[in-house]
Amino acid sequence: MFKIYGRPNSLNVRKVLWLCEEIGQSYDRTDWGRDHRPTTDPEFMKVSIFGAVPVVDDDGFILRESNTILRYLCTKLGRHDLYPAELQKRAIVEQWMDYGNTDLGSGMRPVFQGKVLGIKPHDIPEVIAWGAADWNKQMTRLATHLESGSPYLAGDNFTLADIPAGMMVHRWMAIDFDKPKLPALDAYYARLRERSGYRLHGSNGMP
Ligand SMILES: N[C@@H](CCC(=O)N[C@@H](CS)C(=O)NCC(=O)O)C(=O)O
């Protein structure tokens, strides 16, 4: 049994749920994290002391870090279409996955956690303004990359490269704040929205 620990409105849990839909991986998910049972609960601490979701349990093999879980599942199932075996193709996919989890999301935190959720200390107006500017700058760079002609981040086909960034793009689209017009990003978002996994767990009405 493949178990997923984590609330379904967490961006990082949603990445794993989206991939499970893409690859037909069945799972049993339990709610943990903000507004649910806390990750400090002794039951959760037995699987992870790191206080973050998602965590997965694959027949007793415990794993955390959303991007690592995506790579684990694709490698286990031999899904080289999503996570290439060839070194340089794989590195390009990993480059976008790392970017999606780091630079593309640094500005997101104050905008989402500060402006939308009102969580301290992200709610300081100067910090929110910095976050909005940085997030817009990164999304503009992503759009410039997409303007070069590739329909997906790593080329002609959908890969793991698109999952972390795709979640950030959805959140950016879903939150109302001052944003530049980026037609290439709109087209990419529409392309991702053709996928049932993205509509179910990514672009699904939750920011
Ligand atoms: N680098 C980790 C980050 C995990 C993370 O920050 N998870 C957030 C939710 S998106 C969390 O657990 N927040 C605390 C909570 O929900 O209680 C990953 O990619 O899995």
Side-chain angles (χ1 to χ4, degrees):
M1 170 60 79
F2 187 68
K3 294 186 199 159
I4 302 175
Y5 294 76
R7 53 189 169 85
N9 59 349
S10 141
L11 206 76
N12 289 308
V13 172
R14 288 157 76 187
K15 285 154 56 174
V16 176
L17 299 177
W18 176 9
L19 177 67
C20 285
E21 183 70 18
E22 294 280 348
I23 62 180
Q25 171 69 53
S26 58
Y27 55 83
D28 178 39
R29 189 189 58 74
T30 44
D31 282 329
W32 290 96
R34 198 178 60 232
D35 301 332
H36 298 274
R37 282 178 294 172
T39 54
T40 49
D41 187 295
E43 200 186 319
F44 187 88
M45 300 273 281
K46 273 191 239 158
V47 285
S48 173
I49 59 164
F50 290 91
V53 293
V55 177
V56 299
D57 175 342
D58 186 18
D59 272 331
F61 175 63
I62 308 286
L63 195 62
R64 60 188 167 79
E65 288 299 331
S66 55
N67 281 1
T68 302
I69 295 166
L70 302 184
R71 290 187 288 262
Y72 168 77
L73 281 174
C74 284
T75 304
K76 182 183 169 190
L77 298 177
R79 290 299 301 262
H80 298 309
D81 54 328
L82 298 174
Y83 185 43
E86 196 271 310
L87 177 66
Q88 293 186 353
K89 287 195 173 120
R90 174 172 287 207
I92 292 292
V93 167
E94 291 176 342
Q95 159 194 277
W96 287 112
M97 294 179 80
D98 287 352
Y99 177 66
N101 253 30
T102 56
D103 297 352
L104 192 59
S106 311
M108 176 276 287
R109 201 153 287 116
V111 176
F112 181 62
Q113 300 198 345
K115 181 180 157 73
V116 178
L117 301 180
I119 295 176
K120 292 184 184 311
H122 306 291
D123 61 345
I124 299 165
E126 290 83 352
V127 178
I128 294 174
W130 171 85
D134 193 69
W135 206 12
N136 285 343
K137 180 177 75 184
Q138 297 299 343
M139 285 297 169
T140 304
R141 288 178 177 165
L142 199 66
T144 303
H145 170 72
L146 290 162
E147 276 163 17
S148 68
S150 294
Y152 296 98
L153 294 183
D156 287 338
N157 300 305
F158 175 82
T159 65
L160 287 190
D162 298 293
I163 293 188
M167 290 305 310
M168 287 295 167
V169 168
H170 165 66
R171 187 165 275 177
W172 189 79
M173 294 286 178
I175 299 177
D176 184 21
F177 68 108
D178 223 359
K179 293 177 274 195
K181 298 232 174 310
L182 301 171
L185 205 66
D186 291 341
Y188 176 63
Y189 187 49
R191 206 167 293 128
L192 291 180
R193 278 191 48 80
E194 289 165 10
R195 314 187 76 81
S196 61
Y198 191 56
R199 290 196 305 275
L200 271 174
H201 302 292
S203 178
N204 64 356
M206 292 190 275

